Structure formats: C-alpha cells, structure tokens
Amino acid sequence: MVIDAGGGTVDITIHEVVDEQNIREIYAANGGPWGGNNINKAFIDFLNELFGVETFEEFQRKCVDDCIDIIREFETKKQTMKIDDSNAVIRVPIGLTELFKMHNKDTYTDVSSRIKSLKKYESQVEIKKDKLILKGDLFFKFFIPTVDKIVRHVDGLLKENENIDSILLIGGFADSDYLQNRIKTHFKSTRIIIPDDASLSVLKGAVIFGHDSRIVSSRVLKCSYGIECSNDFIEGVHDKSKLYTNPLGIVKCRHVFGIIAKMGQSVERSCASKERYLLVDEPHIERAEIAIYVSTIYENPKYITDEGCRKIGYFVTRLKGDKDSVRRKLYFSLKFGETEVKVLCRQDGSTEISEKLLDLLGEDEHTAISANT
C-alpha cells in the first residue's frame, strides 16, 4: 500500500510486486481531503480564537507578508516537531499583537491576559515577547481529527485487502513525526516504510515513471469513461425529457452515457479497452465531434447529466465515404496505463485507426482532440 500524504489530499494505491522491475495496481486509487493543509486550518482557527476573529482577519488583510511568515513557520514546526518534544515555539509578528491591543484595549491589557481568560489554554499556551509557546499536547491536537480519518480509512482498506504486508508512506505531510508515529503505532503488524525526505519521493517517482512507464504493468480505473451518445428511444427505458426526433425522423434519446471503460476495471499498459460504437445518423456531415466524459460516482451512469459526470474533452474526426449515407458507425476505445490517456477511433469498414492524446489538463472542458482519418 502506498500512502501519498500531501498538502490537500491523501491518495492511496495498492500494488502487487510482479517482479523486480514491475508492479501492478490491484485496487483503485482512493483517499480523501485529509492533507496537511487541514492542520494549518486548525492552527488558524486557534489563532482566531486566541486573538479574536476581527483582529486576525484584519491582520490577514493588512499584514499579508507577516501572515505568510507565521503560517510558514508553523509549516516548518509541523514537519520538524517530534512527538516527545515538550513545546513548540512560533514567532508572533508585532503587527498581530499591536492589532490585538487596538481591538481589545478596553478588555485585556495584553495577549497574556487573554490567555488567562481562556481556561482551556491557561496551562497550554504562553507568550513571551514575540514568541508564542504551545505545549506539545496542544500542538498535536491540531493533527488529531485529520490523522484519525487517515488511520480509519487505511484500517478499512487493510481489512478489505488482507494480503497487504507493507505500507509505504510518502508525500510532504509524511515528514510529520506525529503522522509517522500514529501509522507505526496503529499498524504494528504491517511493515512501515518511510523513505528519507518523503516529500521528494513523489517527484522522484514521477520522473522515473516518465522515463519508463513499463514499471506499472496495469492499473485499476477510479472512474468510468464514456462518450456522449444519442440512442434510439425505448419507451419505459429512457427518460422522456431527453426525447427528440432527428432529421431522419428517428425518435432518439439524447445525453446517453456510452460506457467505454468501467470504474474498477483493470487495464493493462498500452492495451486498448473494448470498442464502443457510435451511430452517426445525420447525412451530409463531413466530420463528427464526440464528447468524452467520466463518471466519478457511478460505475454505470445512464446519462451524462447524472451526478458525478463531467466532460473532459472532445474527439473530432473526419468522416469517410458517401456523405449521403445514413447511420454510419464509428468505433471508439481508450488506451490507458502510460503517462497519458489515448483515444482510438476507426470508421466501420475501415482498418485504419486514428490515435490521439486526450488532454486532461486543458483549462477548457471543450478541449478538442482532432483526428483527420
């Protein structure tokens, strides 16, 4: 099991070692929004409570550089603070304490008097000049809700996949001694591997994979892929709100999700998925534009308008043959497993296959992939 604990999310994959040079994915990539940024948010919530929401919001607006500095210093402590360290010392910018005094001149003489008024922090927090001193117990409380979610999720995966014998912990958040300790303590019967400088492991792995994608022989799809279709309308099967009549007088159902590859399906590297055909039943057109969709929630979505479905690009292909012919067939498949996803298309009666990259990073969801076949 590989746990990539980053800033925003924790991404988990499960692999089987095939031989010394190859691994295969045996469980779809999963995880959740349990990254290190949640710890930052917990710390910011604490600062809001300590200095006051109005004070801290003004500090964020007026003292941007100082605000960045205090969060950056906390980030460093988050990675370097050891589980048995007694205190965490963080520098407090003078601008924050001055704003506190301005907003609370009739209530508190200084920040220390504010701390004393908060009984739960009285023995946990201390401020000396420009230093905020947090007891270790309080500091690590910022971690608990997020790390609890990670541990519960990993625990569930281990129960589903009993043959897992090792956990590899990587990513920026993986440098945290608290996270490492919780993983080691909770999963004592599993070998825990934490490389030196875990935050760079993801980058190094990406570079290695970019040079040789054969390392991963197969993957498990985490979503379903398909194309937008208009099928012949079937009473009692299709939604009447999607009914329309095409130029040939055929009653059709629009926005159908034509599945090419299903969520949870294992795909071999460089092997194309099963073909899916699309009927082009409009005469006189010279090219077809086919929208590519994914479904992140349902394995078998019915329509592209279902929850969790979104467009990831277009495939544009020039049609061959008689322009006056009707119901021309186009066959589509996808090729996974390398550094990019490829779309394969051929026209009925032709052995010529066009192959184009699917741009998953385009800012515009209407990204077109052209194929002049």
Side-chain angles (χ1 to χ4, degrees):
M1 177 186 291
V2 180
I3 303 175
D4 176 9
T9 62
V10 170
D11 302 296
I12 302 173
T13 54
I14 300 174
H15 293 88
E16 178 184 43
V17 178
V18 179
D19 54 44
E20 291 184 358
Q21 299 295 325
N22 287 279
I23 58 174
R24 70 183 185 95
E25 192 174 273
I26 61 173
Y27 197 92
N30 58 93
W34 315 312
N37 291 344
N38 291 289
I39 319 304
N40 296 3
K41 184 180 182 304
F43 176 63
I44 291 171
D45 289 344
F46 162 76
L47 293 177
N48 272 288
E49 184 179 7
L50 184 63
F51 292 95
V53 174
E54 188 179 353
T55 298
F56 196 74
E57 285 183 350
E58 186 174 348
F59 172 68
Q60 288 177 303
R61 289 195 310 271
K62 293 184 176 180
C63 309
V64 177
D65 289 344
D66 284 343
C67 186
I68 292 172
D69 285 342
I70 194 171
I71 299 302
R72 186 177 292 152
E73 188 164 350
F74 177 77
E75 277 275 4
T76 302
K77 290 293 180 186
K78 190 173 68 177
Q79 293 181 318
T80 59
M81 180 93 167
K82 300 302 180 184
I83 196 72
D84 53 357
D85 286 349
S86 56
N87 294 319
V89 181
I90 299 169
R91 190 186 71 83
V92 178
I94 189 68
L96 181 55
T97 54
E98 290 299 319
L99 283 171
F100 174 83
K101 290 176 182 178
M102 184 182 73
H103 283 283
N104 298 276
K105 58 186 177 182
D106 298 328
T107 311
Y108 304 106
T109 56
D110 53 22
V111 181
S112 293
S113 61
R114 166 64 175 167
I115 293 171
K116 289 178 182 178
S117 72
L118 299 169
K119 297 300 181 183
K120 62 179 178 179
Y121 294 140
E122 190 174 6
S123 61
Q124 298 286 308
V125 182
E126 187 179 0
I127 192 160
K128 290 184 177 180
K129 295 183 178 179
D130 65 341
K131 298 293 189 294
L132 181 66
I133 304 169
L134 308 179
K135 293 293 184 184
D137 289 346
L138 175 62
F139 182 83
F140 290 118
K141 276 185 180 179
F142 301 143
F143 291 71
I144 291 174
T146 298
V147 176
D148 280 351
K149 292 174 184 176
I150 297 172
V151 170
R152 280 198 300 269
H153 188 75
V154 172
D155 197 37
L157 290 175
L158 289 175
K159 288 175 181 176
E160 286 184 48
N161 302 270
E162 296 179 350
N163 293 327
I164 294 174
D165 60 8
S166 302
I167 292 176
L168 176 62
L169 184 61
I170 57 174
F173 190 23
D175 286 329
S176 162
D177 191 58
Y178 181 82
L179 176 60
Q180 293 181 11
N181 185 269
R182 285 287 302 275
I183 295 293
K184 289 176 181 177
T185 302
H186 195 87
F187 305 108
K188 291 180 180 179
S189 60
T190 306
R191 183 175 59 154
I192 309 298
I193 304 168
I194 306 170
D196 293 334
D197 205 357
S199 58
L200 281 178
S201 297
V202 179
L203 176 60
K204 291 177 180 178
V207 172
I208 293 170
F209 182 75
H211 282 284
D212 185 6
S213 62
R214 294 172 299 176
I215 293 171
V216 182
S217 60
S218 68
R219 295 185 182 276
V220 178
L221 299 181
K222 63 184 296 184
C223 54
S224 293
Y225 291 78
I227 56 177
E228 181 181 6
C229 301
S230 292
N231 291 356
D232 291 348
F233 187 86
I234 302 174
E235 187 72 34
V237 174
H238 292 132
D239 186 346
K240 288 186 178 180
S241 67
K242 302 183 187 302
L243 181 151
Y244 76 101
T245 303
N246 74 359
L248 297 176
I250 302 171
V251 180
K252 307 283 288 185
C253 178
R254 59 166 56 92
H255 301 329
V256 174
F257 193 112
I259 293 178
I260 296 178
K262 288 185 179 181
M263 179 189 302
Q265 177 182 333
S266 179
V267 290
E268 299 293 324
R269 183 186 62 83
S270 298
C271 291
S273 64
K274 186 178 179 180
E275 283 188 323
R276 168 88 192 198
Y277 77 84
L278 175 71
L279 282 174
V280 181
D281 50 12
E282 295 183 30
H284 312 304
I285 64 171
E286 296 183 353
R287 68 178 202 162
E289 296 183 0
I290 294 88
I292 313 292
Y293 279 79
V294 294
S295 170
T296 57
I297 297 178
Y298 302 111
E299 179 184 339
N300 292 293
K302 196 169 184 179
Y303 303 106
I304 61 169
T305 53
D306 289 351
E307 183 184 6
C309 295
R310 64 182 178 88
K311 189 184 300 176
I312 58 173
Y314 270 111
F315 188 92
V316 183
T317 184
R318 193 170 299 280
L319 298 174
K320 287 185 174 183
D322 185 1
K323 297 179 185 178
D324 296 326
S325 63
V326 296
R327 314 216 93 182
R328 288 172 285 182
K329 279 186 179 180
L330 290 175
Y331 289 89
F332 291 90
S333 60
L334 296 175
K335 187 183 288 187
F336 302 91
E338 297 185 349
T339 55
E340 295 157 310
V341 179
K342 295 178 181 178
V343 184
L344 283 69
C345 175
R346 70 177 180 87
Q347 194 167 336
D348 190 28
S350 173
T351 58
E352 186 177 352
I353 298 175
S354 60
E355 183 176 302
K356 292 292 175 180
L357 298 178
L358 183 55
D359 181 8
L360 301 177
L361 299 177
E363 294 182 5
D364 184 356
E365 67 174 6
H366 300 291
T367 301
I369 306 103
S370 297
N372 297 318
T373 59

